[in-house]
Amino acid sequence: MNEDHLTIAPALIGDIGATNARFALVGPDGEFQRVRALACEDYASIEEAIAAYLTDELPLTNLPRLEAAALAIAAAVIGDQVTMTNHPWSFSIDQLRRHLQVDRLRVVNDFTAVALAAPYLQSDQRRQVGGGAAQAQAPIGVLGPGSGLGVSGLVPSGREWLPLSGEGGHVTMAPATARESTLLDRMRARFDHVSAERVLSGPGLVNLYNTLAELDGVPAVSYTAAQITDPGIGERDPRCREAVEMFCAMLGTVAGNLALTLGALGGIYIAGGIVPKLGEAFAASPFRRRFEDKGRSRPYLARIPTYLVTHPFPAFVGLIRLLTEDSLSPRAGRGSG
């Protein structure tokens, strides 16, 4: 048992997306347990969702006082008030802390939490897709398509890692081929801004498919993102195959941009709910070729490893690291954000 973890148990951790809210408890061994996913649409507020989780997992008669809590949420966390990007939940961090009756509540962007996990993922919790060896104590980039597109990074600071909190999923998507240029031109006629998230997300896959069908002059089928990525449907519908291939290629473009921006010689990690489900198709896709396709910077990018995160709950790993480091800090105490 790691004594460092004792100061955060029992603690509540949560990974809150636009579709699902996943919760777990941190035990005295520093590991998370009692994982449960709740559909966000079933609850009017985050407080209701947390209450449902706690009362189901720990009957009120056995519910211990939580020492701390940490939430990773699909939103920009700036100040006390948090409003989710793709879901109507909104809350005050301090009011939620008092509602939970905890001394410490940390709320961070969901991909900040995933970034905090990256250095601690074991070899069986990630899969390398191209590149060389990661450079120790070098910046790390993280991104992942799900309901939206999460982007973050880590910068080394002595023996610690400093996470970067931003909204990189909303950068402008740039084309790399004539076909992509035509597609993005058509999408710009529909949206005021075609961000990377407009194409690199679940809804983005649908946007890609629908626009490809429009460009080819064929009726679009009302596919979901899961259906577009289904290999069986892809065999029958060439627009689905092209949408998935373009999705992977564009993800390579954005990942390469992130690697150049951060100098991410520590590697680029791909997480989120979509890419891990592609399986071998992702490794065989244009992702890695497009990642390196930066002209004179190709040799620089060729050495950078790209990893597919296979751990089912990487945000939980990052949240536990966050709470543990807080508990060891002399500044730790009542706080939020």
Side-chain angles (χ1 to χ4, degrees):
M1 183 184 300
N2 188 335
E3 295 296 326
D4 291 348
H5 290 113
L6 295 178
T7 55
I8 67 169
L12 171 73
I13 53 177
D15 181 11
I16 318 296
T19 304
N20 294 306
R22 297 174 178 85
F23 297 104
L25 293 173
V26 183
D29 59 355
E31 298 294 326
F32 60 84
Q33 55 194 9
R34 304 193 184 208
V35 178
R36 186 180 174 204
L38 305 179
C40 294
E41 66 180 4
D42 291 344
Y43 302 92
S45 67
I46 191 170
E47 290 88 351
E48 287 188 13
I50 292 173
Y53 168 77
L54 290 174
T55 54
D56 282 353
E57 291 302 316
L58 291 173
L60 291 178
T61 55
N62 299 324
L63 182 61
R65 182 183 183 277
L66 296 172
E67 293 296 327
L71 302 175
I73 191 160
V77 181
I78 304 172
D80 178 67
Q81 192 69 29
V82 177
T83 300
M84 294 186 66
T85 306
N86 296 311
H87 189 75
W89 282 355
S90 178
F91 62 93
S92 157
I93 297 175
D94 189 57
Q95 288 180 9
L96 181 60
R97 179 188 63 76
R98 286 188 272 116
H99 175 79
L100 295 175
Q101 298 181 4
V102 293
D103 288 334
R104 285 183 291 127
L105 168 62
R106 294 298 304 271
V107 180
V108 296
N109 176 266
D110 54 346
F111 265 77
T112 299
V114 175
L116 284 165
Y120 306 100
L121 295 176
Q122 303 301 309
S123 59
D124 62 345
Q125 297 170 339
R126 65 183 190 184
R127 177 186 176 188
Q128 186 167 348
V129 182
Q135 180 177 308
Q137 291 300 300
I140 291 171
V142 180
L143 71 163
S147 298
L149 176 64
V151 179
S152 188
L154 286 179
V155 178
S157 176
R159 298 178 61 184
E160 298 181 346
W161 291 95
L162 300 180
L164 303 175
S165 298
E167 289 295 305
H170 298 286
V171 300
T172 302
M173 187 68 224
T177 67
R179 177 75 158 170
E180 289 179 5
S181 183
T182 302
L183 178 138
L184 292 175
D185 282 344
R186 185 63 61 93
M187 288 184 66
R188 273 190 287 271
R190 186 178 314 133
F191 301 108
D192 58 345
H193 175 232
V194 181
S195 65
E197 185 174 276
R198 287 288 189 191
V199 294
L200 299 177
S201 61
L205 268 166
V206 177
N207 288 334
L208 286 175
Y209 167 78
N210 287 340
T211 308
L212 288 169
E214 183 181 342
L215 291 176
D216 291 346
V218 299
V221 180
S222 298
Y223 289 132
T224 64
Q227 289 172 319
I228 292 170
T229 58
D230 182 270
I233 294 177
E235 288 181 3
R236 302 190 301 270
D237 191 327
R239 253 67 57 178
C240 285
R241 289 199 306 274
E242 186 179 4
V244 173
E245 183 173 277
M246 188 175 285
F247 175 92
C248 293
M250 287 179 158
L251 183 61
T253 292
V254 174
N257 289 345
L258 181 63
L260 289 174
T261 301
L262 295 180
L265 296 176
I268 293 288
Y269 288 72
I270 308 296
I274 295 175
V275 178
K277 296 177 182 177
L278 297 179
E280 292 298 324
F282 180 69
S285 78
F287 166 79
R288 182 67 201 193
R289 174 178 56 79
R290 185 69 72 80
F291 176 83
E292 297 180 14
D293 193 11
K294 302 288 188 186
R296 292 175 294 176
S297 295
R298 184 186 299 274
Y300 179 88
L301 288 164
R303 64 188 292 191
I304 296 177
T306 46
Y307 300 102
L308 177 60
V309 175
T310 57
H311 191 296
F313 305 107
F316 286 172
V317 176
L319 291 174
I320 291 173
R321 294 301 311 181
L322 182 67
L323 286 175
T324 301
E325 290 168 6
D326 277 358
S327 70
L328 298 175
S329 169
R331 297 184 302 273
R334 177 169 296 183
S336 61

